[in-house]
Amino acid sequence: MERLVIHGGRKLEGAVEINGAKNAAVAILPAVVAASSGKCLIDNVPDIEDVHCLDRILSSLGCEVKKIDNNTLEIDSTSVNTVNACTEDVRRMRASYYFIGALLARFKEAKVELPGGCPIGVRPIDQHIKGFEALGADVVIEHGAVHVKAKQLKGANIFFDVVSVGATINVMIAATLAEGVTTLENVAKEPHVVDVANFLNSMGANIKGAGTDVIRITGVKKLTGCAYSVIPDQIEAGTFMIAAAATRGDITIKNVIPKHLESISAKLLEMGVEIIEGDDSVRVRYVGDLKGVNIKTMPYPGFPTDVQQPMSTLLSVVPGRSIITESIWESRHKHIDELKKMGANIKVEGRVAIIDGVNSLSGAVVKATDLRAGAAMVIAGLIASGKTEITSIEHIDRGYPHIENKFRSLGAKIERITVEE
Ligand code: EPZ
């Protein structure tokens, strides 16, 4: 088993490049399956475990996947020969549920095992199912798999009961090849939703309105291969922004879309951090005492739930009281117990974390309880005195490419070690 070992107390300085967005890539790769001819050349794909897992699932379905370099994949989905995605890899990750939409669009049938993912709360897929049924599919859940089947998919008006990234993307993929027009209302507006829509349009789909509350999809006859570059990762960028402020550092985060980072920048500014936006970069600089802030996570353009945990680490060493309210996931404060082992003063009441800033954290052996909790622990290790050892880092590797190399290039003392369990 691997662990990250950090000797904290160093300011982060310099520049770091952000990779492609995990949550866009993990939807785009399954969506490739909907193309019945041509190859997809996809660039700026992050080199993370979730992507490796999707590569294996694509191959198991009959796709030819060629790795051009660490961040570029060429996928030929012409020869997909099954609608059955029921492997250990499918069970391991959340985004494997996008194979339902993609296989259903192309073959009018899919059998996909129920997905896993981070243990951050109940993760229903009722809105996905509601969408597939509205398009004319029969949906049955049996033996731990979702089985969807339709004679013909027909466009429909669908109003989602909750704003869901996954349901918006999955039903949007399924509707690309449906007959007629599909209107999706109360949809998610995250940058990765827009990116998946742009990718599907590059394959020949006709999708309008992604990024607004209403998405309109006019069904087309077929989708074909294309060349596409994934947008930069909003959450990886946000994690480095927070790490810069937490270590009292000064770093330039390159290859970002500053607009996507506005809710994070706004909170850091409110705390007293300096933010200098460039065209495709953002510089984050500690310029003096910080003050506590209150945060409530919300769907985009609100403050993202996926950077809430790293933010709690920063706030744990900011003077005064800060309150974080997690409104998307009911169990996304599990990392707080780990932060407490390092000396943080935080009380959790349901979805609310009440943080009273302390002067410093001290190194300890702590666990990455999920992906973003892992990022929160890395930042805690970077600011703590002494040595921090992080266990269960397979969670971190699912979503952050080469995290230790990136932090090391900014001056951190961090290494990956292998231990006998
Ligand atoms: C995506 O999860 C992301 N994962 C999550 O990021 C992210 O936290 C989340 O969106 C919110 O931004 C991927 O993109 C792979 P949702 P998803 O459907 O799609 C409820 C990370 O750290 N809901 O937008 O699963 C649900 O319970 C991961 O990178 C229903 O009730 O999230 C939640 O409260 C963790 N019924 C809310 O909606 C449904 O059918 C939002 O969930 C679907 C969702």
Side-chain angles (χ1 to χ4, degrees), residues 48-107:
I48 52 175
E49 194 43 42
D50 269 6
V51 162
H52 303 160
C53 200
L54 287 168
D55 286 359
R56 293 190 293 268
I57 300 171
L58 285 165
S59 300
S60 75
L61 291 171
C63 293
E64 278 174 36
V65 184
K66 202 154 114 195
K67 192 169 174 178
I68 306 293
D69 60 41
N70 273 350
N71 300 108
T72 313
L73 294 175
E74 186 186 78
I75 306 165
D76 187 342
S77 56
T78 324
S79 52
V80 170
N81 50 29
T82 174
V83 294
N84 213 324
C86 294
T87 64
E88 180 58 33
D89 284 319
V90 173
R91 285 190 292 275
R92 275 178 62 189
M93 64 177 305
R94 192 79 200 149
S96 57
Y97 58 28
Y98 293 129
F99 284 106
I100 309 175
L103 290 166
L104 181 64
R106 178 162 159 204
F107 299 103

Short mmCIF file of all heavy atoms in Angstrom, two decimals, residues 48-107:
data_model
loop_
_atom_site.label_atom_id
_atom_site.label_comp_id
_atom_site.label_asym_id
_atom_site.label_seq_id
_atom_site.Cartn_x
_atom_site.Cartn_y
_atom_site.Cartn_z
N ILE A 48 -5.27 9.94 -14.38
CA ILE A 48 -5.75 9.60 -13.03
C ILE A 48 -6.34 8.19 -13.05
O ILE A 48 -6.68 7.66 -14.11
CB ILE A 48 -6.84 10.60 -12.55
CG1 ILE A 48 -7.95 10.75 -13.60
CG2 ILE A 48 -6.23 11.95 -12.20
CD1 ILE A 48 -9.12 11.63 -13.19
N GLU A 49 -6.52 7.62 -11.88
CA GLU A 49 -6.99 6.25 -11.78
C GLU A 49 -8.41 6.08 -12.36
O GLU A 49 -8.71 5.06 -12.98
CB GLU A 49 -6.90 5.78 -10.32
CG GLU A 49 -7.04 4.29 -10.11
CD GLU A 49 -6.29 3.39 -11.09
OE1 GLU A 49 -5.13 3.69 -11.42
OE2 GLU A 49 -6.88 2.38 -11.54
N ASP A 50 -9.28 7.07 -12.16
CA ASP A 50 -10.64 6.95 -12.72
C ASP A 50 -10.60 6.83 -14.25
O ASP A 50 -11.41 6.10 -14.85
CB ASP A 50 -11.52 8.16 -12.32
CG ASP A 50 -12.28 7.90 -11.02
OD1 ASP A 50 -12.05 6.85 -10.37
OD2 ASP A 50 -13.12 8.75 -10.64
N VAL A 51 -9.67 7.53 -14.87
CA VAL A 51 -9.53 7.44 -16.34
C VAL A 51 -8.97 6.07 -16.72
O VAL A 51 -9.44 5.45 -17.68
CB VAL A 51 -8.65 8.61 -16.87
CG1 VAL A 51 -8.14 8.31 -18.28
CG2 VAL A 51 -9.44 9.92 -16.85
N HIS A 52 -8.00 5.58 -15.96
CA HIS A 52 -7.44 4.24 -16.26
C HIS A 52 -8.55 3.18 -16.18
O HIS A 52 -8.63 2.25 -16.97
CB HIS A 52 -6.31 3.88 -15.29
CG HIS A 52 -5.20 4.90 -15.28
ND1 HIS A 52 -4.30 5.03 -14.27
CD2 HIS A 52 -4.87 5.86 -16.19
CE1 HIS A 52 -3.46 6.01 -14.54
NE2 HIS A 52 -3.79 6.53 -15.69
N CYS A 53 -9.40 3.36 -15.18
CA CYS A 53 -10.51 2.44 -14.97
C CYS A 53 -11.47 2.48 -16.18
O CYS A 53 -11.90 1.44 -16.68
CB CYS A 53 -11.22 2.91 -13.69
SG CYS A 53 -12.22 1.70 -12.90
N LEU A 54 -11.75 3.70 -16.66
CA LEU A 54 -12.64 3.83 -17.84
C LEU A 54 -12.00 3.23 -19.08
O LEU A 54 -12.69 2.62 -19.91
CB LEU A 54 -12.99 5.31 -18.07
CG LEU A 54 -13.97 5.89 -17.06
CD1 LEU A 54 -14.05 7.41 -17.18
CD2 LEU A 54 -15.37 5.28 -17.24
N ASP A 55 -10.67 3.39 -19.23
CA ASP A 55 -9.96 2.78 -20.37
C ASP A 55 -10.24 1.27 -20.40
O ASP A 55 -10.52 0.70 -21.44
CB ASP A 55 -8.43 2.89 -20.20
CG ASP A 55 -7.95 4.30 -20.45
OD1 ASP A 55 -8.77 5.14 -20.77
OD2 ASP A 55 -6.73 4.51 -20.30
N ARG A 56 -10.14 0.67 -19.20
CA ARG A 56 -10.33 -0.79 -19.13
C ARG A 56 -11.79 -1.15 -19.46
O ARG A 56 -12.04 -2.14 -20.15
CB ARG A 56 -9.95 -1.31 -17.74
CG ARG A 56 -8.46 -1.18 -17.42
CD ARG A 56 -8.09 -1.93 -16.15
NE ARG A 56 -8.67 -1.37 -14.95
CZ ARG A 56 -8.08 -0.45 -14.16
NH1 ARG A 56 -6.90 0.02 -14.47
NH2 ARG A 56 -8.70 -0.01 -13.08
N ILE A 57 -12.73 -0.34 -18.99
CA ILE A 57 -14.15 -0.64 -19.29
C ILE A 57 -14.39 -0.50 -20.79
O ILE A 57 -15.05 -1.34 -21.41
CB ILE A 57 -15.10 0.29 -18.49
CG1 ILE A 57 -14.87 0.11 -16.98
CG2 ILE A 57 -16.57 -0.01 -18.84
CD1 ILE A 57 -15.61 1.14 -16.11
N LEU A 58 -13.84 0.56 -21.40
CA LEU A 58 -14.02 0.76 -22.85
C LEU A 58 -13.47 -0.45 -23.61
O LEU A 58 -14.12 -0.97 -24.53
CB LEU A 58 -13.29 2.04 -23.29
CG LEU A 58 -13.99 3.36 -22.92
CD1 LEU A 58 -13.03 4.54 -23.05
CD2 LEU A 58 -15.23 3.61 -23.78
N SER A 59 -12.29 -0.93 -23.21
CA SER A 59 -11.70 -2.09 -23.89
C SER A 59 -12.58 -3.32 -23.71
O SER A 59 -12.79 -4.09 -24.65
CB SER A 59 -10.30 -2.39 -23.34
OG SER A 59 -9.49 -1.26 -23.54
N SER A 60 -13.15 -3.47 -22.50
CA SER A 60 -13.98 -4.66 -22.25
C SER A 60 -15.26 -4.63 -23.10
O SER A 60 -15.86 -5.67 -23.35
CB SER A 60 -14.32 -4.78 -20.76
OG SER A 60 -15.31 -3.82 -20.42
N LEU A 61 -15.66 -3.44 -23.54
CA LEU A 61 -16.87 -3.34 -24.39
C LEU A 61 -16.54 -3.57 -25.87
O LEU A 61 -17.43 -3.64 -26.70
CB LEU A 61 -17.51 -1.96 -24.22
CG LEU A 61 -18.17 -1.66 -22.87
CD1 LEU A 61 -18.57 -0.20 -22.78
CD2 LEU A 61 -19.38 -2.56 -22.65
N GLY A 62 -15.23 -3.62 -26.17
CA GLY A 62 -14.84 -3.85 -27.58
C GLY A 62 -14.24 -2.63 -28.25
O GLY A 62 -13.94 -2.66 -29.45
N CYS A 63 -14.03 -1.54 -27.52
CA CYS A 63 -13.38 -0.35 -28.11
C CYS A 63 -11.89 -0.60 -28.26
O CYS A 63 -11.30 -1.34 -27.46
CB CYS A 63 -13.52 0.87 -27.19
SG CYS A 63 -15.19 1.46 -27.01
N GLU A 64 -11.30 0.05 -29.26
CA GLU A 64 -9.83 0.04 -29.35
C GLU A 64 -9.34 1.34 -28.74
O GLU A 64 -9.65 2.42 -29.23
CB GLU A 64 -9.40 -0.02 -30.81
CG GLU A 64 -9.41 -1.43 -31.36
CD GLU A 64 -9.11 -1.43 -32.84
OE1 GLU A 64 -8.28 -0.62 -33.30
OE2 GLU A 64 -9.74 -2.25 -33.53
N VAL A 65 -8.60 1.21 -27.64
CA VAL A 65 -8.11 2.41 -26.95
C VAL A 65 -6.60 2.49 -27.12
O VAL A 65 -5.89 1.57 -26.74
CB VAL A 65 -8.46 2.35 -25.44
CG1 VAL A 65 -8.05 3.63 -24.74
CG2 VAL A 65 -9.95 2.08 -25.23
N LYS A 66 -6.15 3.60 -27.70
CA LYS A 66 -4.70 3.77 -27.91
C LYS A 66 -4.25 4.99 -27.12
O LYS A 66 -4.85 6.07 -27.23
CB LYS A 66 -4.46 4.00 -29.41
CG LYS A 66 -3.07 3.68 -29.84
CD LYS A 66 -3.04 3.29 -31.30
CE LYS A 66 -2.30 4.32 -32.13
NZ LYS A 66 -2.53 4.20 -33.55
N LYS A 67 -3.20 4.81 -26.32
CA LYS A 67 -2.68 5.93 -25.54
C LYS A 67 -1.63 6.63 -26.39
O LYS A 67 -0.56 6.08 -26.65
CB LYS A 67 -2.06 5.37 -24.25
CG LYS A 67 -1.74 6.40 -23.24
CD LYS A 67 -1.40 5.75 -21.91
CE LYS A 67 -0.92 6.79 -20.94
NZ LYS A 67 -0.63 6.28 -19.63
N ILE A 68 -1.94 7.83 -26.88
CA ILE A 68 -1.00 8.56 -27.74
C ILE A 68 0.12 9.14 -26.87
O ILE A 68 1.29 9.07 -27.20
CB ILE A 68 -1.72 9.70 -28.52
CG1 ILE A 68 -2.92 9.13 -29.30
CG2 ILE A 68 -0.75 10.46 -29.43
CD1 ILE A 68 -2.60 8.19 -30.44
N ASP A 69 -0.25 9.76 -25.75
CA ASP A 69 0.71 10.16 -24.72
C ASP A 69 -0.05 10.18 -23.40
O ASP A 69 -1.22 9.78 -23.35
CB ASP A 69 1.38 11.51 -25.05
CG ASP A 69 0.37 12.65 -25.16
OD1 ASP A 69 -0.57 12.71 -24.34
OD2 ASP A 69 0.51 13.49 -26.07
N ASN A 70 0.59 10.66 -22.32
CA ASN A 70 -0.04 10.60 -21.00
C ASN A 70 -1.40 11.27 -20.91
O ASN A 70 -2.21 10.95 -20.04
CB ASN A 70 0.88 11.26 -19.96
CG ASN A 70 1.86 10.26 -19.43
OD1 ASN A 70 1.72 9.06 -19.69
ND2 ASN A 70 2.86 10.74 -18.70
N ASN A 71 -1.65 12.25 -21.80
CA ASN A 71 -2.91 12.99 -21.72
C ASN A 71 -3.75 12.92 -22.99
O ASN A 71 -4.71 13.68 -23.14
CB ASN A 71 -2.62 14.47 -21.39
CG ASN A 71 -1.89 14.61 -20.07
OD1 ASN A 71 -0.71 14.92 -20.03
ND2 ASN A 71 -2.58 14.30 -18.98
N THR A 72 -3.40 12.03 -23.90
CA THR A 72 -4.16 11.94 -25.17
C THR A 72 -4.53 10.49 -25.46
O THR A 72 -3.67 9.61 -25.46
CB THR A 72 -3.32 12.50 -26.35
OG1 THR A 72 -2.75 13.74 -25.95
CG2 THR A 72 -4.17 12.70 -27.59
N LEU A 73 -5.82 10.29 -25.71
CA LEU A 73 -6.30 8.95 -26.02
C LEU A 73 -6.98 8.95 -27.38
O LEU A 73 -7.68 9.92 -27.73
CB LEU A 73 -7.33 8.49 -24.98
CG LEU A 73 -6.87 8.27 -23.55
CD1 LEU A 73 -8.06 7.95 -22.67
CD2 LEU A 73 -5.84 7.14 -23.49
N GLU A 74 -6.74 7.88 -28.15
CA GLU A 74 -7.48 7.70 -29.40
C GLU A 74 -8.38 6.49 -29.19
O GLU A 74 -7.89 5.41 -28.84
CB GLU A 74 -6.51 7.47 -30.55
CG GLU A 74 -7.22 7.42 -31.89
CD GLU A 74 -6.26 7.03 -32.99
OE1 GLU A 74 -5.95 5.82 -33.10
OE2 GLU A 74 -5.82 7.92 -33.74
N ILE A 75 -9.68 6.70 -29.37
CA ILE A 75 -10.62 5.60 -29.09
C ILE A 75 -11.47 5.32 -30.33
O ILE A 75 -12.11 6.23 -30.88
CB ILE A 75 -11.55 5.95 -27.90
CG1 ILE A 75 -10.70 6.34 -26.68
CG2 ILE A 75 -12.46 4.77 -27.55
CD1 ILE A 75 -11.49 7.04 -25.60
N ASP A 76 -11.45 4.07 -30.74
CA ASP A 76 -12.31 3.66 -31.85
C ASP A 76 -13.42 2.79 -31.25
O ASP A 76 -13.17 1.69 -30.76
CB ASP A 76 -11.47 2.85 -32.85
CG ASP A 76 -12.28 2.54 -34.10
OD1 ASP A 76 -13.53 2.64 -34.04
OD2 ASP A 76 -11.67 2.18 -35.13
N SER A 77 -14.65 3.31 -31.29
CA SER A 77 -15.76 2.59 -30.66
C SER A 77 -16.62 1.86 -31.69
O SER A 77 -17.67 1.32 -31.36
CB SER A 77 -16.64 3.57 -29.87
OG SER A 77 -17.08 4.59 -30.71
N THR A 78 -16.14 1.84 -32.95
CA THR A 78 -16.93 1.22 -34.03
C THR A 78 -17.29 -0.22 -33.69
O THR A 78 -18.39 -0.69 -33.96
CB THR A 78 -16.12 1.22 -35.35
OG1 THR A 78 -15.36 2.41 -35.40
CG2 THR A 78 -17.02 1.15 -36.56
N SER A 79 -16.31 -0.92 -33.08
CA SER A 79 -16.51 -2.37 -32.90
C SER A 79 -17.04 -2.75 -31.52
O SER A 79 -16.80 -3.89 -31.08
CB SER A 79 -15.18 -3.07 -33.17
OG SER A 79 -14.18 -2.45 -32.39
N VAL A 80 -17.74 -1.84 -30.85
CA VAL A 80 -18.35 -2.23 -29.57
C VAL A 80 -19.29 -3.41 -29.83
O VAL A 80 -20.09 -3.37 -30.76
CB VAL A 80 -19.13 -1.05 -28.94
CG1 VAL A 80 -19.97 -1.51 -27.76
CG2 VAL A 80 -18.17 0.04 -28.49
N ASN A 81 -19.11 -4.48 -29.02
CA ASN A 81 -19.84 -5.71 -29.35
C ASN A 81 -20.73 -6.21 -28.22
O ASN A 81 -21.20 -7.33 -28.23
CB ASN A 81 -18.84 -6.80 -29.75
CG ASN A 81 -17.72 -6.91 -28.72
OD1 ASN A 81 -17.95 -6.62 -27.53
ND2 ASN A 81 -16.54 -7.30 -29.14
N THR A 82 -20.96 -5.37 -27.22
CA THR A 82 -21.85 -5.79 -26.13
C THR A 82 -22.49 -4.56 -25.49
O THR A 82 -21.93 -3.46 -25.55
CB THR A 82 -21.07 -6.59 -25.06
OG1 THR A 82 -21.93 -6.85 -23.96
CG2 THR A 82 -19.85 -5.84 -24.54
N VAL A 83 -23.66 -4.76 -24.91
CA VAL A 83 -24.30 -3.66 -24.16
C VAL A 83 -24.20 -3.96 -22.67
O VAL A 83 -24.83 -3.30 -21.85
CB VAL A 83 -25.79 -3.48 -24.56
CG1 VAL A 83 -25.90 -3.02 -26.00
CG2 VAL A 83 -26.59 -4.76 -24.32
N ASN A 84 -23.36 -4.91 -22.35
CA ASN A 84 -23.24 -5.41 -20.99
C ASN A 84 -21.98 -4.87 -20.32
O ASN A 84 -20.88 -5.27 -20.66
CB ASN A 84 -23.14 -6.95 -21.11
CG ASN A 84 -23.79 -7.60 -19.94
OD1 ASN A 84 -23.70 -7.09 -18.84
ND2 ASN A 84 -24.42 -8.75 -20.18
N ALA A 85 -22.14 -3.95 -19.40
CA ALA A 85 -20.98 -3.42 -18.68
C ALA A 85 -21.11 -3.82 -17.21
O ALA A 85 -21.71 -3.10 -16.41
CB ALA A 85 -20.90 -1.90 -18.82
N CYS A 86 -20.63 -4.99 -16.90
CA CYS A 86 -20.76 -5.51 -15.54
C CYS A 86 -19.42 -6.09 -15.10
O CYS A 86 -19.22 -7.30 -15.08
CB CYS A 86 -21.85 -6.58 -15.48
SG CYS A 86 -23.49 -5.94 -15.81
N THR A 87 -18.48 -5.22 -14.80
CA THR A 87 -17.16 -5.68 -14.37
C THR A 87 -16.83 -5.01 -13.04
O THR A 87 -17.49 -4.07 -12.62
CB THR A 87 -16.07 -5.29 -15.39
OG1 THR A 87 -16.01 -3.85 -15.44
CG2 THR A 87 -16.36 -5.82 -16.78
N GLU A 88 -15.77 -5.50 -12.42
CA GLU A 88 -15.29 -4.93 -11.16
C GLU A 88 -15.01 -3.42 -11.33
O GLU A 88 -15.33 -2.61 -10.47
CB GLU A 88 -14.01 -5.69 -10.75
CG GLU A 88 -13.35 -5.24 -9.46
CD GLU A 88 -14.26 -5.33 -8.26
OE1 GLU A 88 -15.10 -6.24 -8.22
OE2 GLU A 88 -14.15 -4.44 -7.37
N ASP A 89 -14.44 -3.05 -12.48
CA ASP A 89 -14.14 -1.63 -12.73
C ASP A 89 -15.42 -0.78 -12.75
O ASP A 89 -15.43 0.35 -12.28
CB ASP A 89 -13.40 -1.46 -14.06
CG ASP A 89 -11.94 -1.88 -13.93
OD1 ASP A 89 -11.33 -1.54 -12.91
OD2 ASP A 89 -11.42 -2.54 -14.86
N VAL A 90 -16.49 -1.32 -13.34
CA VAL A 90 -17.76 -0.59 -13.40
C VAL A 90 -18.27 -0.33 -11.98
O VAL A 90 -18.72 0.77 -11.66
CB VAL A 90 -18.81 -1.38 -14.22
CG1 VAL A 90 -20.18 -0.71 -14.16
CG2 VAL A 90 -18.36 -1.52 -15.66
N ARG A 91 -18.14 -1.35 -11.13
CA ARG A 91 -18.62 -1.22 -9.74
C ARG A 91 -17.78 -0.25 -8.94
O ARG A 91 -18.24 0.34 -7.98
CB ARG A 91 -18.58 -2.59 -9.04
CG ARG A 91 -19.68 -3.53 -9.47
CD ARG A 91 -19.72 -4.75 -8.56
NE ARG A 91 -18.57 -5.62 -8.70
CZ ARG A 91 -18.47 -6.57 -9.63
NH1 ARG A 91 -19.44 -6.78 -10.48
NH2 ARG A 91 -17.39 -7.33 -9.70
N ARG A 92 -16.51 -0.08 -9.34
CA ARG A 92 -15.58 0.71 -8.53
C ARG A 92 -15.82 2.21 -8.60
O ARG A 92 -15.48 2.95 -7.68
CB ARG A 92 -14.15 0.47 -9.02
CG ARG A 92 -13.53 -0.75 -8.39
CD ARG A 92 -12.15 -0.98 -8.93
NE ARG A 92 -11.25 0.13 -8.63
CZ ARG A 92 -10.04 0.24 -9.16
NH1 ARG A 92 -9.60 -0.65 -9.99
NH2 ARG A 92 -9.26 1.24 -8.84
N MET A 93 -16.35 2.69 -9.72
CA MET A 93 -16.40 4.15 -9.88
C MET A 93 -17.79 4.65 -10.21
O MET A 93 -18.62 3.95 -10.78
CB MET A 93 -15.42 4.59 -10.95
CG MET A 93 -15.75 4.06 -12.32
SD MET A 93 -14.62 4.68 -13.55
CE MET A 93 -14.77 6.44 -13.33
N ARG A 94 -18.01 5.89 -9.86
CA ARG A 94 -19.32 6.52 -10.03
C ARG A 94 -19.67 6.74 -11.51
O ARG A 94 -20.77 6.42 -11.96
CB ARG A 94 -19.27 7.89 -9.32
CG ARG A 94 -20.60 8.53 -9.15
CD ARG A 94 -21.32 7.91 -7.99
NE ARG A 94 -22.73 8.16 -8.06
CZ ARG A 94 -23.64 7.32 -7.60
NH1 ARG A 94 -23.29 6.20 -7.02
NH2 ARG A 94 -24.91 7.60 -7.68
N ALA A 95 -18.71 7.29 -12.23
CA ALA A 95 -19.01 7.77 -13.58
C ALA A 95 -19.29 6.64 -14.57
O ALA A 95 -19.71 6.91 -15.70
CB ALA A 95 -17.86 8.63 -14.09
N SER A 96 -19.09 5.39 -14.15
CA SER A 96 -19.40 4.29 -15.06
C SER A 96 -20.88 4.32 -15.44
O SER A 96 -21.28 3.73 -16.44
CB SER A 96 -19.02 2.95 -14.44
OG SER A 96 -19.67 2.79 -13.21
N TYR A 97 -21.71 5.05 -14.65
CA TYR A 97 -23.14 5.10 -15.01
C TYR A 97 -23.40 5.85 -16.32
O TYR A 97 -24.46 5.75 -16.90
CB TYR A 97 -24.03 5.58 -13.88
CG TYR A 97 -23.80 6.94 -13.27
CD1 TYR A 97 -23.25 8.00 -13.96
CD2 TYR A 97 -24.22 7.17 -11.95
CE1 TYR A 97 -23.09 9.24 -13.36
CE2 TYR A 97 -24.07 8.40 -11.34
CZ TYR A 97 -23.49 9.44 -12.06
OH TYR A 97 -23.34 10.65 -11.46
N TYR A 98 -22.38 6.59 -16.82
CA TYR A 98 -22.58 7.26 -18.11
C TYR A 98 -22.62 6.26 -19.27
O TYR A 98 -23.03 6.61 -20.38
CB TYR A 98 -21.50 8.31 -18.35
CG TYR A 98 -21.60 9.49 -17.38
CD1 TYR A 98 -20.50 9.92 -16.65
CD2 TYR A 98 -22.79 10.18 -17.23
CE1 TYR A 98 -20.58 10.99 -15.78
CE2 TYR A 98 -22.89 11.26 -16.35
CZ TYR A 98 -21.77 11.66 -15.63
OH TYR A 98 -21.86 12.72 -14.77
N PHE A 99 -22.16 5.02 -19.04
CA PHE A 99 -22.28 4.01 -20.09
C PHE A 99 -23.75 3.67 -20.34
O PHE A 99 -24.09 3.21 -21.41
CB PHE A 99 -21.49 2.75 -19.73
CG PHE A 99 -20.00 2.92 -19.93
CD1 PHE A 99 -19.16 3.07 -18.85
CD2 PHE A 99 -19.46 2.97 -21.21
CE1 PHE A 99 -17.79 3.25 -19.03
CE2 PHE A 99 -18.09 3.14 -21.41
CZ PHE A 99 -17.26 3.29 -20.31
N ILE A 100 -24.60 3.90 -19.33
CA ILE A 100 -26.03 3.61 -19.54
C ILE A 100 -26.56 4.52 -20.65
O ILE A 100 -27.14 4.06 -21.64
CB ILE A 100 -26.87 3.82 -18.25
CG1 ILE A 100 -26.26 3.08 -17.05
CG2 ILE A 100 -28.33 3.38 -18.49
CD1 ILE A 100 -26.97 3.36 -15.72
N GLY A 101 -26.33 5.83 -20.49
CA GLY A 101 -26.82 6.79 -21.49
C GLY A 101 -26.22 6.54 -22.86
O GLY A 101 -26.92 6.59 -23.88
N ALA A 102 -24.90 6.26 -22.89
CA ALA A 102 -24.21 6.13 -24.18
C ALA A 102 -24.64 4.86 -24.92
O ALA A 102 -24.90 4.89 -26.13
CB ALA A 102 -22.71 6.14 -23.95
N LEU A 103 -24.72 3.73 -24.19
CA LEU A 103 -25.12 2.46 -24.84
C LEU A 103 -26.59 2.52 -25.24
O LEU A 103 -26.97 2.05 -26.32
CB LEU A 103 -24.86 1.28 -23.90
CG LEU A 103 -23.38 0.94 -23.66
CD1 LEU A 103 -23.23 -0.01 -22.47
CD2 LEU A 103 -22.75 0.31 -24.91
N LEU A 104 -27.40 3.13 -24.38
CA LEU A 104 -28.83 3.25 -24.69
C LEU A 104 -29.03 4.09 -25.96
O LEU A 104 -29.84 3.74 -26.83
CB LEU A 104 -29.57 3.88 -23.50
CG LEU A 104 -31.08 4.05 -23.66
CD1 LEU A 104 -31.79 2.70 -23.78
CD2 LEU A 104 -31.67 4.84 -22.48
N ALA A 105 -28.28 5.18 -26.08
CA ALA A 105 -28.41 6.04 -27.26
C ALA A 105 -28.12 5.24 -28.53
O ALA A 105 -28.91 5.26 -29.48
CB ALA A 105 -27.43 7.22 -27.15
N ARG A 106 -27.03 4.50 -28.52
CA ARG A 106 -26.59 3.83 -29.77
C ARG A 106 -27.29 2.50 -30.03
O ARG A 106 -27.66 2.19 -31.16
CB ARG A 106 -25.07 3.63 -29.72
CG ARG A 106 -24.53 2.90 -30.92
CD ARG A 106 -23.04 3.08 -31.07
NE ARG A 106 -22.45 2.05 -31.89
CZ ARG A 106 -21.18 1.69 -31.83
NH1 ARG A 106 -20.38 2.29 -30.97
NH2 ARG A 106 -20.71 0.76 -32.63
N PHE A 107 -27.44 1.68 -28.96
CA PHE A 107 -27.96 0.31 -29.16
C PHE A 107 -29.38 0.12 -28.64
O PHE A 107 -29.93 -0.96 -28.71
CB PHE A 107 -27.03 -0.69 -28.46
CG PHE A 107 -25.63 -0.69 -29.00
CD1 PHE A 107 -24.61 -0.07 -28.29
CD2 PHE A 107 -25.33 -1.26 -30.22
CE1 PHE A 107 -23.31 -0.06 -28.79
CE2 PHE A 107 -24.04 -1.26 -30.72
CZ PHE A 107 -23.03 -0.65 -30.00
#
